[in-house]
Amino acid sequence: MKQSHLFTKTKKESPADEVSLNAELLIKAGFINKEMAGVYSYLPLGLRVIKKIENIIREEMDAIGGQEMKTSILQNKEIWEKSGRWSDDVVDNWFKTKLKNGGEVGLSFTNEEAYSDILKQYINSYKDLPIYPYDFKSIFRNEIRSKSGIMRGREFYWKALYSFSKNEEEHNEFYEKAKQAYKNIFQRAGIGHLTYLCFASGGSFSKFSHEFQTLTGAGEDTIYIDENKGIAINSEVYTDEVISDLGLKKEDLVEKRAVEVGNIFSLGTKFSEPFDLKYKNENGEDKLVVMGSYGIGLGRLMGTIVEVSSDDKGIIWPETVAPFKVHLLSLGDDENTRSEADKLYNELSEKGIEVLYDDRSDVSAGEKFADSDLIGIPFRVVVSKRSLANGGFEIKKRTEEKGKNVSKDELFSILLEPRT
Ligand code: ATP
Ligand code: MG
């Protein structure tokens, strides 16, 4: 993509009403637009990041048997009355609205009821199970606090998968697979080294749920981590009993701030009971389906990446989720430089390398460098009179201080190198 074509421009000033680093950087660099507290639009650069994250999650969900679908955002009140969750006394963060011809609908704040109601039509026999449907969806929650930028929105985009299994054993088997898939996702998104499997409160059907908590001062949770074992306990269940149940020692645990980037939950028959979600087993007996839920907030994950990966100049995207792999900068108004840069842009694009090409002729070199650092694309390639005189192109990683001049062949071999 040519930067002259990109309608967003970077901003020099930080937004006055943002206290979170992720929103500040993402707004300045033109990834998102703030509509109101807790509500953000994703601009072209931001959407590219969301799509990268979405693809990673989709690959990992499909690999464990997930089937992608799309549930509606407007939700039928009757369905939620079945579980008792329509009541504002039970759920305090609903957005609800009235229909013109009478009646009320709710905007999805979660998905268990919607899935239970749909799947009820398709689950009859033991042969129909297990199944793992999921979707990516906008979710609406009337959160009281929303000061964490895209990490806590009133409208946010998530992935939710629900597992429907014949029994506890089958459920547990999938639960472990999902745990591993989640680890893969956070690893691939570049925050694996900071992300802990965290024991949290479970509910009536299991002692614990599991959260994936990423260490950052911007998080709202307090967790106690065992660095060597790579596991953590959420402060909400941090007791002597739990510590010893998990085979941990108090002296090995360190208190940290963290953000929940995802969670997995055994639901047992909490929803299959009210929805009468049953199947016939091999002996023709009716059995309740055992469910689990598995969520990840994509905006929360994107915001977390920014929180843990930036410097005073801007964002530092991991290559896997970056909006582009290469930021190509053409400097100066020299004819030859311009035509060499155009040529390189075409060649990189032909090789399938994603490039943002700063081809703007009315912007100074200094501004181009500053924009490049702020936007945070992993590789910066500069074409200038000087680079050409030195034999080619200057390549620099966003994480490095100094670049080096390389020939076109060397440039391609660096950029086509498989990621480690
Ligand atoms: P939290 O404890 O942070 O309020 P939660 O436990 O209510 O989140 P779930 O309802 O289980 O979260 O949602 C699944 C995932 O969706 C969370 O792990 C998180 O990644 C994301 N998420 C939850 N609430 C928000 C929000 N307000 N904005 C952005 N992402 C969110
Ligand atoms: Mg939570």
Side-chain angles (χ1 to χ4, degrees):
M1 179 188 252
K2 291 187 175 170
Q3 212 164 327
S4 59
H5 180 70
L6 182 69
F7 73 79
T8 57
K9 307 284 172 257
T10 59
K11 296 178 199 291
K12 293 229 161 31
E13 302 300 320
S14 296
D17 53 349
E18 282 293 349
V19 290
S20 77
L21 179 68
N22 70 83
E24 184 189 324
L25 287 173
L26 290 166
I27 289 170
K28 275 175 82 176
F31 286 77
I32 60 171
N33 188 63
K34 183 179 195 167
E35 304 302 336
M36 61 190 100
V39 182
Y40 297 87
S41 293
Y42 287 78
L43 303 173
L45 290 176
L47 184 61
R48 290 182 76 97
V49 176
I50 287 290
K51 283 186 175 170
K52 294 270 168 78
I53 294 174
E54 189 178 297
N55 278 334
I56 291 173
I57 297 174
R58 179 177 290 118
E59 282 175 15
E60 295 294 338
M61 292 300 100
D62 290 350
I64 55 171
Q67 296 183 54
E68 188 174 352
M69 53 189 272
K70 197 71 112 180
T71 52
S72 71
I73 285 166
L74 292 182
Q75 288 288 312
N76 184 347
K77 171 181 171 188
E78 282 168 29
I79 292 172
W80 295 80
E81 282 172 339
K82 281 192 190 171
S83 66
R85 288 210 286 185
W86 181 258
S87 164
D88 293 318
D89 299 330
V90 178
V91 173
D92 62 2
N93 60 8
W94 266 113
F95 279 106
K96 293 176 180 172
T97 187
K98 291 199 165 43
L99 294 173
K100 285 256 193 256
N101 53 3
E104 256 185 312
V105 294
L107 274 61
S108 288
F109 76 92
T110 185
N111 271 3
E112 284 86 358
E113 282 80 348
Y115 272 78
S116 301
D117 190 61
I118 293 169
L119 271 294
K120 186 171 163 56
Q121 299 168 64
Y122 299 102
I123 297 173
N124 298 301
S125 138
Y126 67 94
K127 291 178 190 153
D128 300 325
L129 296 169
I131 37 180
Y132 314 113
Y134 72 96
D135 65 357
F136 293 97
K137 181 178 190 177
S138 289
I139 288 291
F140 299 83
R141 290 185 188 173
N142 210 335
E143 305 265 7
I144 294 170
R145 285 188 304 148
S146 57
K147 291 202 177 116
S148 302
I150 58 170
M151 291 163 72
R152 183 172 296 284
R154 297 199 163 102
E155 172 179 340
F156 60 96
Y157 191 58
W158 83 358
K159 183 280 305 178
L161 181 146
Y162 298 92
S163 63
F164 297 82
S165 303
K166 291 192 276 294
N167 49 49
E168 282 297 326
E169 195 188 345
E170 193 173 80
H171 167 75
N172 290 336
E173 208 175 294
F174 179 76
Y175 194 83
E176 290 309 313
K177 280 192 199 164
K179 221 184 248 176
Q180 187 55 50
Y182 268 53
K183 287 183 186 165
N184 298 347
I185 289 166
F186 300 120
Q187 193 68 40
R188 290 177 64 183
I191 57 169
H193 61 298
L194 295 170
T195 303
Y196 286 76
L197 177 72
C198 180
F199 290 79
S201 56
S204 38
F205 288 89
S206 62
K207 187 157 185 194
F208 299 112
S209 68
H210 294 91
E211 298 170 339
F212 291 80
Q213 292 274 1
T214 306
L215 303 186
T216 163
E220 295 174 14
D221 292 354
T222 300
I223 64 169
Y224 295 84
I225 64 167
D226 182 322
E227 240 164 298
N228 291 324
K229 296 197 166 133
I231 56 179
I233 305 176
N234 193 306
S235 60
E236 66 191 20
V237 294
Y238 185 69
T239 62
D240 288 340
E241 192 195 324
V242 168
I243 295 168
S244 83
D245 280 1
L246 296 176
L248 298 172
K249 293 204 191 83
K250 208 167 195 163
E251 57 268 29
D252 297 337
L253 296 167
V254 185
E255 187 183 307
K256 295 274 182 186
R257 289 293 272 186
V259 59
E260 176 196 316
V261 284
N263 66 13
I264 62 177
F265 219 99
S266 293
L267 297 169
T269 56
K270 181 173 172 189
F271 294 94
S272 43
E273 270 172 53
F275 283 86
D276 199 30
L277 196 54
K278 288 180 179 151
Y279 68 95
K280 285 213 185 309
N281 70 7
E282 279 98 331
N283 305 322
E285 298 155 344
D286 285 329
K287 295 280 175 193
L288 282 169
V289 172
V290 175
M291 288 174 59
S293 82
Y294 312 79
I296 295 182
L298 280 74
R300 168 98 44 111
L301 177 50
M302 177 172 161
T304 301
I305 294 167
V306 175
E307 291 286 343
V308 302
S309 185
S310 73
D311 61 16
D312 56 349
K313 298 194 189 95
I315 304 168
I316 303 173
W317 292 109
E319 206 177 309
T320 48
V321 301
F324 295 90
K325 178 166 183 164
V326 176
H327 202 171
L328 174 63
L329 275 50
S330 147
L331 304 186
D333 48 15
D334 175 64
E335 266 304 313
N336 183 47
T337 304
R338 164 55 59 122
S339 87
E340 284 298 328
D342 282 353
K343 207 164 117 197
L344 181 61
Y345 172 61
N346 291 330
E347 289 165 349
L348 289 165
S349 304
E350 274 160 25
K351 288 258 193 284
I353 298 171
E354 292 176 308
V355 188
L356 180 63
Y357 173 24
D358 196 344
D359 61 331
R360 295 173 299 173
S361 50
D362 53 348
V363 175
S364 72
E367 280 174 89
K368 287 191 179 186
F369 287 135
D371 272 7
S372 184
D373 283 338
L374 179 59
I375 294 170
I377 293 169
F379 289 95
R380 188 186 78 188
V381 173
V382 171
V383 187
S384 65
K385 216 169 169 172
R386 193 168 74 192
S387 81
L388 293 171
N390 287 336
F393 311 92
E394 189 209 73
I395 183 164
K396 184 183 95 63
K397 282 192 184 170
R398 176 64 180 81
T399 49
E400 293 168 349
E401 273 304 310
K402 277 181 85 69
K404 62 175 174 188
N405 237 76
V406 295
S407 69
K408 194 172 275 183
D409 281 352
E410 286 172 286
L411 183 71
F412 274 96
S413 81
I414 293 169
L415 294 175
L416 291 170
E417 215 168 83
R419 262 194 313 267
T420 46

